[in-house]
Amino acid sequence: QVQLVQSGAEVKKPGASVKVSCKASGYTFTGYYIHWVRQAPGQGLEWMGWINPNSGGTKYAQKFQDWVTMTRDTSISTAYMALSSLRSDDTAVYYCAREALSTGYFEYWGQGTLVTVSS
Amino acid sequence: QSVLTQPPSVSGAPGQRVTISCTGSSSNIGAGYDVHWYQQLPGTAPKLLIYGNSNRPSGVPDRFSGSKSGTSASLAITGLQAEDEADYYCQSYDSSLSALYVFGAGTKVTVL
């Protein structure tokens, strides 16, 4: 069965960087886009961007364009999301999600990774 | 400020029918892009509930139904059950430059 398993919770100081991983299993990793969505405490869902695991191509939401980097390692079927220059309002749960083939919706989600930014 | 507008909360007694609206604009729902719905139980990841406006993934009870018209969409839950108490989010695609995939702010469904 399809699974997306994310790395564990992180605590970072303001100005630091964080890298969250998302390991895929149960399907051909290079066949489906991986998206990243975040959710601040008590808030809604916010789309950050996607990566095409086949080509490595990316598309970021304008808000995150200058400080997010999405990469992948096809040898271990893992996608990564790195966020730099962290601020306290980056404290959130970060989810990876697989998009169903060019359909615009997210059919499988990782369990989420809590990133806490605090001095 | 979310691109898609949802009511913050709706409530109903067990067995009742509740609906959640999702209002967009000419750059997303009104442009013909599909609307999808997710259910998020407390402390868990979102789960796909409705895709392509009105389609249910395998395993989703037929108590859940979706529709779309113009610049809006709706999610209906009939025969409300205690386990339906959750947050519900609509999502669509947006052709503006700021974000391609947009969500509503979420609606908390409370079973009285």
Side-chain angles (χ1 to χ4, degrees):
Chain A
Q1 73 283 22
V2 173
Q3 279 195 305
L4 299 174
V5 178
Q6 299 182 223
S7 49
E10 304 261 14
V11 179
K12 296 292 182 181
K13 293 195 182 302
S17 299
V18 69
K19 190 172 185 178
V20 179
S21 68
C22 171
K23 182 169 177 60
S25 62
Y27 72 97
T28 302
F29 177 64
T30 52
Y32 300 80
Y33 283 27
I34 292 288
H35 294 248
W36 290 88
V37 175
R38 78 176 185 179
Q39 185 172 36
Q43 302 300 309
L45 303 168
E46 182 176 31
W47 179 76
M48 300 177 69
W50 57 249
I51 182 166
N52 177 344
N54 188 40
S55 66
T58 55
K59 179 71 176 179
Y60 305 139
Q62 198 169 56
K63 170 179 178 176
F64 297 100
Q65 221 146 36
D66 293 333
W67 47 300
V68 70
T69 304
M70 296 177 188
T71 57
R72 94 291 190 215
D73 184 339
T74 57
S75 69
I76 55 172
S77 300
T78 300
Y80 302 92
M81 186 282 301
L83 206 52
S84 62
S85 304
L86 290 168
R87 307 184 325 180
S88 57
D89 59 3
D90 292 317
T91 294
V93 176
Y94 290 78
Y95 295 101
C96 62
R98 192 188 91 168
E99 180 183 350
L101 281 171
S102 301
T103 57
Y105 62 86
F106 311 119
E107 57 179 343
Y108 294 100
W109 295 68
Q111 84 276 19
T113 297
L114 175 62
V115 175
T116 303
V117 183
S118 173
S119 54
Chain B
Q1 187 83 4
S2 297
V3 173
L4 305 179
T5 301
Q6 297 180 235
S9 63
V10 298
S11 61
Q16 284 191 329
R17 179 179 188 269
V18 297
T19 61
I20 301 170
S21 61
C22 175
T23 303
S25 67
S26 58
S27 64
N28 42 69
I29 300 174
Y33 296 113
D34 286 342
V35 178
H36 321 292
W37 293 89
Y38 303 87
Q39 177 193 60
Q40 187 176 34
L41 298 170
T44 69
K47 169 194 165 186
L48 181 65
L49 196 65
I50 297 286
Y51 67 92
N53 305 315
S54 59
N55 302 291
R56 279 177 285 105
S58 173
V60 172
D62 58 8
R63 302 184 291 102
F64 295 93
S65 62
S67 64
K68 173 192 161 186
S69 178
T71 59
S72 294
S74 289
L75 173 71
I77 310 173
T78 56
L80 196 62
Q81 297 184 6
E83 62 258 35
D84 299 333
E85 189 158 291
D87 293 321
Y88 293 82
Y89 294 90
C90 61
Q91 178 249 317
S92 186
Y93 186 89
D94 193 286
S95 58
S96 69
L97 291 176
S98 59
L100 296 179
Y101 297 78
V102 291
F103 291 91
T107 298
K108 170 70 176 179
V109 170
T110 301
V111 181
L112 301 172

